[in-house]
Amino acid sequence: MQQTYSLPPEAVTNYQRDGAVVLRGVLNPEQLAQLERGIEHNLSHLSPLALVASQPDDPGRFVEDFCTWQTNPDYAAILRHSCLPAVSAALMQSQTVRIYHDHLLVKEPGTRQPTPWHQDQPYYNVQGRQNVSYWIPVDPVPLESTLRFVAGSHAGTWYMPRTFRDHQAKWFPEGSLAELPPIDQQPEHHRQLAWALQPGDAVAFHMLTLHASGGVGATQRRRVFSARYLGDDMRHAVRPWRTSPPFNGLSERLPDGAELADDLFPLVLSRGASAAESSTA
Ligand SMILES: O=C(O)CCC(=O)C(=O)O
C-alpha cells in the first residue's frame, strides 16, 4: 500500500517548466525515521560502488554510495511504499513508474567540497524525457548548502559530464557535447532555484536539470538520500564506457533502445496494463 500526498496543483506545471520543484512534507515522521535508519545502515555497510568525493585534506568528508536498495529494507520501503511513486507519475506525466536507483550523498560536518554544476543523465545509461530524481535530506539544510538548480536547463542540451575533482571527460569523448555555460558568472542568463529544506521535505528534479551545491558548516551534517525513477518513454542507452552508476551485465540481456523491463528496475506503479509486472510492487 503506497502513501498518498496532496501534490500542490502548480507543482506539475513548475516541474515541467523549470525541471525542479520543492515538495514540503513529502515524507511523514515515521518514514523519515525509517530513511534515517536506512542511511545509517548504508554508511556502516558501504557497497563496492561507494566513494569519497572530497579531497584528502578536506576538513569534512563527502561520501557517496549507489544502488543498495535491494539489500537495505528501509530504502526499499521508501522507494516502493512512500508517496514517491505516485508523485513521480504526476510529475513525469507517466502511466508507469520504475525504480531506477538510489544514491547516498552525505557531507559530514565541515565538508568544503562543493558539488560542481552538472546534469545527471549524461552519466547514466538511459535515454528519454520522463524521469525524476528526489533529493531528500534527513537533516535541516540551510540555503547556503542546499541543492541549486538552473531553471529550464532540462530543455534538451546535454552538457559534457566530467569527473568532479579533476574535470576529466571519462564518458562522452571530448568535443562531442556542449561545455557548461558560466552559470555563476551570468546570473541574468541562468535563473537559479534553491530552497532551504527541513527533514521531510524534498526537491524533485529532472535528470537533465543542471544542479550544484556548496560545502557544509562546521557543525552541520548533511545526510541526503536520492531516489531516482523512470517513466513511460525511458529506454536503455547502451554505452561503450562504464556509466555512473554502472549496471554490470545489463547490456548483455537488454539491447540498446529497449524498455527497462528488468529485475533491477521494478515497476512500482502502473495505471494501465502490465498487471503481472506491477504485482511485484
Ligand atoms: O548532494 C549533492 O551535493 C549533489 C547531489 C547530486 O548531484 C544529485 O543528487 O544528483
Side-chain angles (χ1 to χ4, degrees), residues 62 103 105 107 115 118 120 124 135 147 164 205 211 213 222 224 226 228:
F62 181 15
H103 186 172
L105 303 124
K107 289 191 177 176
T115 306
H118 68 283
D120 288 334
Y124 291 167
W135 195 81
L147 205 59
F164 284 5
F205 61 103
H211 55 286
S213 77
R222 198 217 68 182
V224 168
S226 189
R228 316 204 187 255

Side-chain angles (χ1 to χ4, degrees), residues 4 11-12 19 22-23 35 49 75 82 93 113 127 164 169 186 196 228 240 242 244-245 270:
T4 54
V12 177
V22 65
L23 303 171
L35 183 55
L49 295 180
Y75 281 0
S82 69
Q93 300 281 276
Q113 182 70 46
Q127 51 184 297
F164 284 5
Q186 298 182 336
R228 316 204 187 255
R242 186 178 195 265
S244 176
S270 175

Side-chain angles (χ1 to χ4, degrees), residues 132-144:
V132 63
S133 290
Y134 298 88
W135 195 81
I136 315 171
V138 296
D139 301 300
V141 183
L143 211 46
E144 309 82 74

Side-chain angles (χ1 to χ4, degrees), residues 18-20 62 107 113-123 143-144 146-154 158-165 167-168 171 178-187 189-195 205-214:
D18 294 335
F62 181 15
K107 289 191 177 176
Q113 182 70 46
T115 306
W117 287 108
H118 68 283
Q119 298 167 313
D120 288 334
Q121 201 168 343
Y123 294 89
L143 211 46
E144 309 82 74
T146 197
L147 205 59
R148 310 190 300 280
F149 303 93
V150 177
S153 54
H154 64 313
W158 284 46
Y159 294 102
M160 179 61 88
R162 294 186 177 278
T163 53
F164 284 5
R165 282 178 14 183
H167 312 290
Q168 285 185 50
W171 294 274
E179 291 299 332
L180 276 183
I183 295 163
D184 291 313
Q185 292 73 24
Q186 298 182 336
H189 295 312
H190 306 289
R191 185 168 65 92
Q192 290 188 30
L193 301 172
W195 298 273
F205 61 103
H206 191 276
M207 292 175 190
L208 274 190
T209 305
L210 283 163
H211 55 286
S213 77

